Amino acid sequence: MKRRTLPAVVTLTATAALLLTACGSGDDKPGDNHKTAGVERGGAQAPKESTKPSAAAQTEAKPDGVDVSLPKDMNLVFDWDRPKDGNEAAAMDDAANFFRAIYRGVDKRTTEDAAVATYATGDGLHYANTQINAWIDGGWTATGTLRHYDVITRSTPNGKSVEVAFCADSQKFYGKEIKSQRILRTEPSLEDFDHYKIVMGKVPTGKDLWQASKVFVKTKAAQCQ
């Protein structure tokens, strides 16, 4: 079995539709489940291989003074362009750091790493802890390249929340059994593509610090192929 990416744990609550409503989207409905959570964008294109670092991918090892570094064989790539809006750009950067924090927890075998508490709160923190514990309980770590692309950001009118939506391609990202060091591989398939919506909230006491408060996941996301 291939442990390809984050387990398909989806945060879906009545309040999770708040940002979508505030953003004025007529396409998303409060009653929608994760199968309709993806933003319709006319068909996303799979990411192309690139030798240059993306705008948000290669941040410092310690943004906000917190270590989000990962081992060399665990490569998270964010192939997306920074939006012009400063808040949306900062929220997008910290959405990337949220995922780095999760996989740092997977690597360190703990949910207590400072990065998780820095970049997650509420349901986002519950989501992160659930993912990390699933990898720990399974006896796995991760290896390879996980690509994120086709990002869309949008803000609430008050500017305190930003939705960061994007695709993830885990075709070259695998689980690895810690005891045996065996890499768990399968043939590429639709299961390698997921679509995420992360609701990022601005931390009042932190300069340009944003935390993931809600997580929506659409697995087997055909629009991401």
Side-chain angles (χ1 to χ4, degrees):
M1 175 183 176
K2 176 183 177 184
R3 193 80 225 161
R4 51 177 196 75
T5 185
L6 301 186
V9 177
V10 184
T11 299
L12 290 174
T13 66
T15 58
L18 177 61
L19 178 65
L20 304 183
T21 302
C23 289
S25 170
D27 299 324
D28 296 288
K29 299 178 181 179
D32 288 348
N33 62 23
H34 70 279
K35 291 185 179 181
T36 57
V39 177
E40 295 298 330
R41 299 184 302 281
Q45 297 298 318
K48 297 180 180 179
E49 294 293 336
S50 175
T51 56
K52 68 177 182 178
S54 61
Q58 307 299 330
T59 61
E60 299 85 355
K62 293 186 178 181
D64 303 301
V66 179
D67 193 348
V68 292
S69 61
L70 296 170
K72 292 182 179 180
D73 68 333
M74 193 184 292
N75 187 24
L76 270 59
V77 175
F78 298 87
D79 282 333
W80 53 40
D81 296 324
R82 290 173 62 82
K84 294 180 180 180
D85 181 88
N87 278 345
E88 292 186 4
M92 187 182 72
D93 286 347
D94 284 346
N97 288 329
F98 170 63
F99 278 84
R100 293 187 183 101
I102 291 175
Y103 282 107
R104 180 174 171 83
V106 170
D107 176 57
K108 300 298 182 182
R109 318 304 293 162
T110 180
T111 60
E112 301 300 321
D113 191 83
V116 175
T118 299
Y119 294 109
T121 188
D123 289 343
L125 181 59
H126 174 73
Y127 177 87
N129 290 339
T130 300
Q131 311 314 312
I132 294 168
N133 282 327
W135 287 80
I136 293 173
D137 293 345
W140 307 299
T141 187
T143 186
T145 298
L146 177 58
R147 302 179 66 85
H148 307 79
Y149 55 99
D150 198 27
V151 67
I152 292 177
T153 57
R154 53 182 178 175
S155 305
T156 53
N158 63 13
K160 294 182 179 180
S161 294
V162 173
E163 179 186 273
V164 183
F166 55 90
C167 290
D169 174 5
S170 61
Q171 292 182 90
K172 297 181 180 180
F173 196 67
Y174 307 99
K176 182 171 69 174
E177 293 178 348
I178 293 176
K179 289 185 177 181
S180 68
Q181 294 295 292
R182 183 171 68 95
I183 297 176
L184 309 177
R185 303 176 186 269
T186 60
E187 293 298 319
S189 71
L190 184 59
E191 292 185 354
D192 293 316
F193 297 92
D194 298 310
H195 185 268
Y196 291 89
K197 285 184 179 181
I198 313 296
V199 179
M200 304 296 295
K202 186 173 177 60
V203 179
T205 58
K207 182 179 179 181
D208 292 329
L209 177 62
W210 296 73
Q211 293 178 314
S213 62
K214 302 287 182 183
V215 179
F216 300 82
V217 187
K218 178 181 179 182
T219 60
K220 299 182 181 179
Q223 76 266 38
C224 292
Q225 281 186 311

